[in-house]
Structure formats: structure tokens, C-alpha cells
Amino acid sequence: MSTKQRVVAFSLVATLLGGLVLFTGDTPTVAAPKAVGVDKLLKNVQTGNPKFKTIGRLSFGPSGVLLVADPGSASIVAIDTGDTGPLNKLKKRIDNVDQLLAKSIGATKVKITDLAVNQLSGTIYLATTRNDAILTIDGDGKVGTLDMAKLRYVRVTLPSDGKAKVSNITDVSFADDRVLASGQSGRQFSSKIYSLPLPLEHGASADIYSAETYHVAHRRWETRAPIQSFIPYTEDGKDYIVGSFACTPIAKFPIGDLKSGAKVKGTSIIELGSGNRPLDMFSYEKDGKTWIVTNTLRFHKNLFGPSKYWGVRIESSYLTAKKTNEDSARRDTKTKSGPKGVEIVDALFGAVQVDKLSNTEMVVLREEKGQLNLELAPLP
């Protein structure tokens, strides 16, 4: 297949998810969204309380469907929120947002574990550790609570690796014909990728793959470190996950036409520097280019910025780089610039959580001077 024939199989939810890369000609772009009915996404829908054991990562798909990772029950729950617009994006920054959330539910404090913005409505959904609640903030800054008692949902279980249970779910995202998740299960090959076919059917299970990655900074192949965050994409008609890992290689993994239980060997395409843990990832289009954005937490002192939380944007041309694994490009952790096509994003200093609203704006939960603030920030 020629370069001009590269097509993303996952274009169904591109703009809604903010993380799908489309190759048309020589320039990658972000694919346009398609209207999809909930009946195409969910099957055997239940009504009532999903009874989460734990609420982990959040991710929005088409038609206001919210994916929620439940590591405690080793499952993915998809919720038909009915939140389909109109768009009312956050009008002004909210200072001490964690205190605002705590006050709304009568708590002394709340820890925010993840956020996802619904691109149809602009409403921000936040996972918390307080009573495993999902709280919302609309464009006017009003706090709400997702009513667990009356939800329309399906739950899909992630399979274990032999006798080993699923110990962690690190990310989850819609793709064109499936939902993808990453996590850990087992010992030697504990890094896992899960594939759940659409429509998601309540009570069903998923395909499971073991992932092996070359960690550039460590100079060795590893099988235990899980993908922390990812986006799906297609190259030359083949489906991939592009994921980021602690310390911090970004690698791509083929997932098409694989049998469940297979071992998948990744290709590391760039190393962002040892001593970092990635948090979120998405892509966006600007001026004919597609950029991959990821924010990270630096374990060591940050020598090129004001916060241990920082982020970059990476030209999507790195996805087809010729130099990979041992020879892949590397950032110098002592400087702010380079290599070519990798840029520090100033708006991501302090970013604890981030999600894409559009090709021009992102929602940022930012740590500043000992407090947490929620705001819209421009994409560079």
C-alpha cells in the first residue's frame, strides 16, 4: 500500500477522542468524526448502579459514551451519559477546584485521579477517590454528580493471564471497531494490551496480548512495565497502539490480525528522557501537521522548567521514523529544546491531568503554588 493509501481504521471517533492519527498523502491529519448511534456501541445495556469497586481512567467516545476503567473488578464500564451537547466550554479558570468538589459532596478533601472532557458538551468529568464518585463541571463552573443509581451501562471483563489476576488498568480508549485498554497481569510478561470488539456487550470479555518494549534509557527489552497512556493509529493498513512508558520511551505495537494470547513486540520510536512517568496522551492537527501531546511527571529535579509536571508535543512523522529502538531519537533532559520535531509545551508545566477539547484548546488540571486549578489552555 502506498503512502497516499494510508487510512486510519480508527477514524470513527477521531475528533471526539483527540488521539487518532490519519495518514492522507505525506501529511498526517486528524480524521473527521462520524455520527454513531449508541446502539452501534453498546449491546445488552443495563440500567441501574454499576457498583464500581474502584474508578480509574476515564475516556470519552462518540454519542456521549464514557469509558470508565474499574481495576478493582478487572473490567471496563461504558456509560451512556446522554450528554450530547450543545457545547458550553469552561468560561473561566477555577482555582482550588479540589476544594470546590469536596464542598459539593460534603467532604473535607477530594483526590482527583483522572479527568475527561466531553467534546460534544464541554462538560468535564472527574474521577475521585471519595466514595468512588464521578463529578462533573459544566461551562459555567457548576459542579454536578453522575447519578449512579440510574445509569445506562455495559460492563466488559478483562481476562487474566492464566492464574494471574489483572492488577492494573492504565488507560482505555475507543477505536473504530473496538475499545482498547492497557494494563498489567501476570509476572514475566505482565504488560498487557486488551481489545474489546464493538458493540461492547454486557458480560462479554476481551482479547489479551502481552507487550514487550525496548526501553531506550535502560538499554534493554522489558515485559513488565505497562503502557501508561496511548493513542491508536494505522500505518500501511496495519493497526497499532502508540503508547508511552515510564522513563520514557514512546513505542508502537501492531494489534491487527493477532490471536488472543499472542506476544506483541513493540518498536520504540523516541525516548523523552529517563526519570519521567507519562500521564496522558492525545493528538491534534494544526497548520497541516499532526502533533502527539503527552504530559509527564518527572521523578528528579526538572532542569528546564518550573514544575516537576511538564509536557511535550511530538511531530507525528516520528511514528514512521527509520531509526528505532537502540537508535531511536532521544531528548536531552538537561535542556528545553530538541531534538527536531519535539517541543516543550509551556502550557503543560504543572499539568497533573490534561485532555483535548478541540484542535485549539485543552482542559488542564494544574498544580500551582500548592493548589489545584482547572482551566482551558491553548494548544500551541
Side-chain angles (χ1 to χ4, degrees), residues 124-245:
I124 301 163
Y125 288 65
L126 302 111
T128 74
T129 56
R130 179 69 181 183
N131 296 327
D132 291 322
I134 297 177
L135 305 179
T136 63
I137 296 180
D138 65 15
D140 299 317
K142 182 180 178 181
V143 178
T145 302
L146 198 62
D147 185 357
M148 295 292 180
K150 301 178 182 179
L151 293 182
R152 283 173 39 84
Y153 71 94
V154 300
R155 181 187 293 273
V156 179
T157 301
L158 302 183
S160 58
D161 184 2
K163 295 181 179 180
K165 296 181 179 180
V166 175
S167 58
N168 194 13
I169 304 172
T170 53
D171 204 4
V172 61
S173 177
F174 265 101
D176 182 47
D177 61 349
R178 68 188 83 185
V179 164
L180 297 169
S182 56
Q184 286 175 299
S185 177
R187 294 184 178 180
Q188 183 180 358
F189 277 85
S190 62
S191 178
K192 301 299 183 188
I193 297 170
Y194 302 93
S195 177
L196 296 67
L198 289 179
L200 295 177
E201 182 174 4
H202 183 75
S205 187
D207 290 333
I208 180 174
Y209 313 115
S210 298
E212 184 176 10
T213 311
Y214 185 80
H215 279 240
V216 182
H218 301 173
R219 299 184 183 278
R220 65 174 182 263
W221 288 92
E222 296 185 4
T223 60
R224 296 182 181 182
I227 298 172
Q228 296 291 337
S229 56
F230 68 83
I231 59 172
Y233 98 109
T234 292
E235 176 189 337
D236 291 336
K238 297 181 180 180
D239 299 336
Y240 292 82
I241 276 182
V242 175
S244 53
F245 294 77

Side-chain angles (χ1 to χ4, degrees), residues 265-334:
K265 199 162 190 174
T267 302
S268 293
I269 55 179
I270 188 169
E271 169 62 61
L272 299 182
S274 61
N276 297 289
R277 182 171 69 86
L279 302 171
D280 302 292
M281 180 180 282
F282 63 84
S283 71
Y284 75 101
E285 181 185 352
K286 185 173 184 179
D287 299 330
K289 285 186 177 182
T290 297
W291 296 88
I292 299 169
V293 173
T294 183
N295 62 314
T296 72
L297 167 62
R298 182 152 180 78
F299 305 142
H300 311 300
K301 182 179 180 181
N302 196 340
L303 300 177
F304 53 83
S307 173
K308 61 184 178 181
Y309 295 100
W310 64 285
V312 296
R313 68 172 189 167
I314 305 162
E315 283 191 10
S316 59
S317 57
Y318 274 97
L319 297 178
T320 54
K322 301 299 182 183
K323 294 183 178 181
T324 60
N325 294 334
E326 298 93 333
D327 300 321
S328 63
R330 299 183 64 172
R331 275 203 71 254
D332 184 344
T333 58
K334 297 179 181 180

